[in-house]
């Protein structure tokens, strides 16, 4: 039985005061960590103050990092900087980073490896564009992204990875993939992982859906066989909405 993981991705939103108001509003009201993992992926400047106030059942994630441990990379954040302040998760390969910051599959794979050497759990995003979907290329795109992201991992590492299937056309558009569409593609990603690492890993790995998830559609999505959680942008910004998502059961 895979434990659901619901993660909010704040993207480039909120002031420090707003992030503190949020954490005080939710930290003691999120679902028990025994039943659901609740995660907030916040902008870098707020990570430490959120970790200090995360409480028993909430965990904090970053939205990106560099793959090198240190060096002359002006403006970048190293993996051990995140682990040294108590961050638990890191979102890697979000489509916004792939599109706007030229993030490649190779760089994402390096980041996945250094996540593990630094005690961070990667949330790896994959997903197709509308053009890809209309051309019938969805499976090929998510397969190529998944294969490259997981290249070189041990079975033990692969089991711990979280994958977020986010069709680009459903992000921030209000146009959610239907629960069946999401389940079908996530089932396909699981079959790719089975081919790569065997059924013990594919049955253990958690795969989220992301793209216009909100308190009204979370239940239907989570009822699908292969959907183990959600990566939520817009609807994770409001404390009440985030609480409704993590307490969907
Ligand atoms: O990382 C989250 C996704 O990009 C989904 O964003 P959204 O929930 O605002 O559509």
């Amino acid at each position: 039985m895979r434990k659901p993981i619901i993660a909010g991705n704040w993207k480039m939103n909120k002031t420090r005061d707003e992030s503190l108001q949020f954490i005080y509003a939710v930290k003691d009201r999120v679902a028990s960590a025994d039943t659901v993992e609740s995660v907030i992926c916040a902008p870098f400047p707020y990570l430490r103050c959120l970790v200090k106030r995360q409480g028993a059942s909430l965990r904090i994630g970053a939205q990106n990092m560099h793959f090198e441990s240190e060096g002359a990379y002006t403006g970048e954040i190293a993996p051990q900087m995140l682990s040294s302040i108590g961050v638990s998760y890191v979102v890697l390969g979000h489509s916004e980073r792939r599109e706007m910051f030229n993030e490649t599959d190779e760089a994402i794979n390096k980041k996945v490896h250094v996540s593990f050497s630094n005690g961070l759990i990667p949330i790896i995003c994959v997903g197709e564009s509308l053009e890809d979907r209309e051309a019938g290329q969805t499976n090929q795109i998510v397969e190529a992204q998944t294969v490259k992201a997981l290249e070189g991992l041990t079975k033990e590492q692969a089991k711990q990875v979280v994958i977020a299937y986010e069709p680009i056309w459903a992000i921030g558009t209000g146009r959610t993939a239907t629960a069946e569409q999401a389940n079908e593609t996530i089932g396909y990603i699981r079959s790719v992982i089975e081919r790569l690492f065997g059924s013990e890993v594919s049955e253990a790995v958690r795969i989220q859906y992301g793209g216009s998830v909100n308190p009204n559609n979370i239940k239907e999505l989570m009822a699908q066989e292969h959907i183990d959680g959600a990566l939520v942008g817009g609807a994770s910004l409001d404390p009440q909405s985030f609480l409704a998502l993590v307490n969907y059961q």
Side-chain angles (χ1 to χ4, degrees), residues 9 11 94 96 166 170-172 210-213 231-234:
N9 176 12
K11 307 191 180 182
H94 193 283
E96 289 154 12
E166 299 205 316
I171 296 176
S212 298
V213 177
L231 182 59
V232 188

Side-chain angles (χ1 to χ4, degrees), residues 9-228:
N9 176 12
W10 284 355
K11 307 191 180 182
M12 199 174 73
N13 290 293
K14 291 197 186 291
T15 63
R16 179 177 181 276
D17 284 353
E18 286 165 353
S19 72
L20 284 173
Q21 281 161 14
F22 182 100
I23 196 105
Y24 285 125
V26 306
K27 71 191 202 73
D28 297 322
R29 298 168 65 203
V30 294
S32 156
D34 295 337
T35 53
V36 175
E37 268 177 66
S38 305
V39 182
I40 285 292
C41 300
F44 290 127
Y46 312 142
L47 291 173
R48 179 62 185 150
C49 71
L50 294 176
V51 165
K52 278 162 78 178
R53 296 164 178 86
Q54 67 189 0
S57 293
L58 185 64
R59 289 294 170 265
I60 304 302
Q63 299 171 14
N64 180 37
M65 66 180 183
H66 200 273
F67 50 75
E68 294 290 352
S69 305
E70 59 186 3
Y73 300 99
T74 302
E76 289 293 327
I77 300 288
Q80 74 268 31
M81 294 176 187
L82 300 176
S83 50
S84 71
I85 59 167
V87 167
S88 307
Y89 292 87
V90 59
V91 175
L92 298 177
H94 193 283
S95 60
E96 289 154 12
R97 295 211 58 84
R98 291 179 189 259
E99 271 176 25
M100 292 184 264
F101 302 97
N102 304 317
E103 192 138 312
T104 63
D105 285 327
E106 287 71 25
I108 294 161
N109 177 249
K110 286 184 188 173
K111 293 179 184 193
V112 170
H113 280 274
V114 297
S115 305
F116 284 110
S117 43
N118 286 278
L120 299 162
I121 300 292
I123 299 176
I124 304 166
C125 302
V126 300
E128 82 288 3
S129 66
L130 186 57
E131 206 181 9
D132 296 329
R133 177 159 282 265
E134 286 174 347
Q137 295 293 307
T138 299
N139 286 357
Q140 287 92 320
I141 297 289
V142 298
E143 175 168 353
Q145 291 173 337
T146 304
V147 168
K148 188 62 200 174
L150 303 183
E151 193 175 274
L153 292 187
T154 65
K155 285 188 178 188
E156 270 320 300
Q157 290 171 330
K159 260 189 203 172
Q160 294 174 61
V161 150
V162 178
I163 295 184
Y165 167 57
E166 299 205 316
I168 298 169
W169 47 271
I171 296 176
T173 57
R175 181 178 167 184
T176 331
T178 64
E180 292 72 26
Q181 279 174 324
N183 189 55
E184 191 184 329
T185 305
I186 289 177
Y188 184 72
I189 295 169
R190 203 176 296 288
S191 75
V192 170
I193 295 172
E194 181 177 3
R195 199 186 71 218
L196 295 172
F197 296 99
S199 58
E200 204 188 316
V201 173
S202 68
E203 285 306 311
V205 83
R206 291 175 302 170
I207 310 181
Q208 301 171 309
Y209 167 74
S212 298
V213 177
N214 61 54
N216 296 323
N217 58 24
I218 183 92
K219 256 191 183 208
E220 191 191 356
L221 288 162
M222 292 302 293
Q224 302 296 314
E225 178 189 356
H226 292 293
I227 303 182
D228 304 316

